[in-house]
Amino acid sequence: MIAAAAAAFAAPAARARKAPRIVSIGSSLTEILYALGAQDLLVGVDTTSLYPAEARALPQVGYMRALSAEGVLSLKPTLILATTAAGPATTLDQLRSTGIEVLVLPDRYDYDSVIAKIAAVGKVTGKSAEADAMIARGRAGMQALSARLARAGNKPRVLFLLSMGGGAPQAAGRETAADGIIRLAGGINAINGYAGYRPLTPEAVIASRADFVLVTRQTVDALGGVKAILDQPAISRTPAGRDGKVLQFDALLLLGFGPRTPQAAEELASALHPDLVRTR
């Protein structure tokens, strides 16, 4: 009788401790899960989840902004982790209506947002200690970088360009990941007249007075090299174009706003402020 009662009591507790089946919607959340060692809980990811390479082998549920409830439900998740960039909202509502927990985390482009995502993922995966350690390391790195940048004599103007093949280049304005990482690295976004991404006229490119042009490595590969960027007439008339200052970074490292953001900020700051690197 005692053994049977103990077993009956233990069964609900065991069910409560059952590991979640997680679908991750957003590259930063997938990176966090792997960095915390919680990747075994993943049953699916969205198509932006390309890092680490192992994530590409998982079942995919489509693009994060164009999800279908059927694709997600087919993986039988018990928890869906998403950022505020995920959608459409009607799909997320459909998923909630089935009783599946849907946790939507902030996707702002600052380091506090990164910390919030790491802490939340750590909590729901039972990896809070690992999350706390990751946050402490990241904060220490960002504080050290901020202290060095405080000694910078100036903040260079940085023009982030995307989709440059054919037609006017798309430039990052305010409230973008590019704008956020430029600021964290001690630069000034050369475009601040609008939010989001918009095509730039040649006159606007020249008026940006960019000291650096920042692009993703994927953009450079698609164009066939940095020379294709520097050869554009409008860019050649900026300080960046005249000095050949084109910086290229992996897209997910630069724009991911996940666990590697301190690394991205450090590497970009080193490129924008080489004098600070030498005087460390």
Side-chain angles (χ1 to χ4, degrees):
M1 290 288 291
I2 294 174
F9 177 81
R15 285 196 295 271
R17 291 194 301 269
K18 189 174 180 181
R21 291 173 55 84
I22 298 175
V23 168
S24 175
I25 311 295
S27 61
S28 63
L29 300 180
T30 302
E31 285 198 33
I32 291 168
L33 284 158
Y34 274 88
L36 293 177
Q39 65 269 22
D40 290 347
L41 303 177
L42 276 170
V43 296
V45 296
D46 74 309
T47 57
T48 72
S49 296
L50 301 174
Y51 183 91
E54 296 88 330
R56 303 178 193 183
L58 290 167
Q60 294 188 342
V61 296
Y63 178 50
M64 64 184 301
R65 297 180 189 272
L67 299 171
S68 73
E70 293 77 10
V72 176
L73 292 173
S74 69
L75 299 178
K76 298 180 172 57
T78 59
L79 172 62
I80 296 164
L81 293 178
T83 70
T84 47
T90 51
T91 296
L92 296 179
D93 288 341
Q94 278 182 277
L95 293 169
R96 290 188 185 95
S97 71
T98 68
I100 296 171
E101 182 180 1
V102 179
L103 180 59
V104 178
L105 300 172
D107 202 24
R108 298 181 300 275
Y109 303 120
D110 55 46
Y111 196 61
D112 285 344
S113 176
V114 175
I115 289 172
K117 287 186 283 189
I118 294 171
V121 174
K123 182 177 181 180
V124 297
T125 59
K127 298 283 187 178
S128 288
E130 292 87 340
D132 289 345
M134 185 185 300
I135 289 168
R137 290 193 302 271
R139 275 186 170 144
M142 295 300 292
Q143 287 168 357
L145 176 60
S146 180
R148 289 206 311 279
L149 290 174
R151 303 197 304 268
N154 68 315
K155 291 187 175 184
R157 298 176 62 82
V158 184
L159 175 63
F160 180 84
L161 296 177
L162 190 67
S163 305
M164 297 178 62
Q170 297 275 334
R174 302 185 313 274
E175 299 171 28
T176 59
D179 179 74
I181 198 66
I182 288 167
R183 286 186 283 105
L184 287 178
I188 295 174
N189 188 351
I191 303 296
N192 63 8
Y194 58 82
Y197 288 86
R198 291 187 190 176
L200 279 191
T201 64
E203 293 76 16
V205 172
I206 296 167
S208 73
R209 297 178 288 110
D211 299 302
F212 290 88
V213 172
L214 178 61
V215 291
T216 67
R217 196 158 291 136
Q218 290 82 345
T219 293
V220 173
D221 291 344
L223 292 174
V226 170
K227 187 175 184 298
I229 298 171
L230 292 172
D231 284 347
Q232 296 198 22
I235 290 177
S236 70
R237 294 177 61 185
T238 64
R242 288 193 292 269
D243 296 336
K245 291 184 176 180
V246 176
L247 305 177
Q248 53 178 307
F249 284 78
D250 175 76
L252 287 181
L253 170 64
L254 185 71
L255 307 176
F257 276 81
R260 295 185 295 159
T261 290
Q263 175 190 346
E266 173 74 31
E267 292 184 9
L268 181 56
S270 296
L272 298 179
H273 303 278
D275 54 321
L276 291 180
V277 175
R278 288 194 296 268
T279 59
R280 262 195 283 179

